[in-house]
Each structure stands twice: as C-alpha cells, then as structure tokens.
Amino acid sequence: MRKLYKPFQAVSTALRPLVEPLFRPVAGFSLPTKEVMDAPYEFYEQLEALEKILSDPTITSVRLVTNPEKW
C-alpha cells in the first residue's frame, strides 16, 4: 500500500479540479483535501517509527505480569 499511496495521491490531486464539479452535486460532499489524504500516510509513518522502537532490544524490554483474581 505504501508504494501506491503517493502516486495515487498525485493522480487524485491532479484530477480533483476536473472531478469535483461533477462529484459534489451527486454525492452531496466534496472530495478530501490534501491534508486529509496525508493523514493516513503520516499515521503509517508513525506506526513504523513505533515498531522500530518496540522491536529494538537495546531500548525496549517486555515483562509479563499476572495478578491472580481474588474471589
């Protein structure tokens, strides 16, 4: 998905002025702006950064803790 996202966004941005006048009256809302289109990509980049931190054993360790239930 990451490889296709930026090219798709470029095509979407280029076609928006042509498609928007037809789309808005039919759908009742406008196409997403560039900021809205950037949000998932930025979120994915943040997830990748978090994955690097969590998978580095020099930075992060995991400890499993269990607490017995009281009846």
Side-chain angles (χ1 to χ4, degrees):
M1 177 179 153
R2 185 179 177 129
K3 292 178 183 179
L4 298 175
Y5 191 79
K6 285 295 181 177
F8 173 72
Q9 185 180 14
V11 170
S12 174
T13 304
L15 292 177
R16 184 172 188 187
L18 301 172
V19 176
E20 180 75 25
L22 302 172
F23 180 82
R24 183 180 246 172
V26 173
F29 58 92
S30 62
L31 295 171
T33 63
K34 185 178 181 330
E35 292 80 21
V36 172
M37 294 290 286
D38 283 341
Y41 189 78
E42 292 169 2
F43 179 69
Y44 187 74
E45 287 179 335
Q46 291 173 350
L47 283 178
E48 282 185 333
L50 180 62
E51 179 187 16
K52 287 179 185 176
I53 292 170
L54 292 176
S55 62
D56 186 355
T58 62
I59 299 173
T60 307
S61 64
V62 176
R63 183 177 299 160
L64 297 175
V65 178
T66 60
N67 294 321
E69 263 187 56
K70 293 181 182 180
W71 290 83

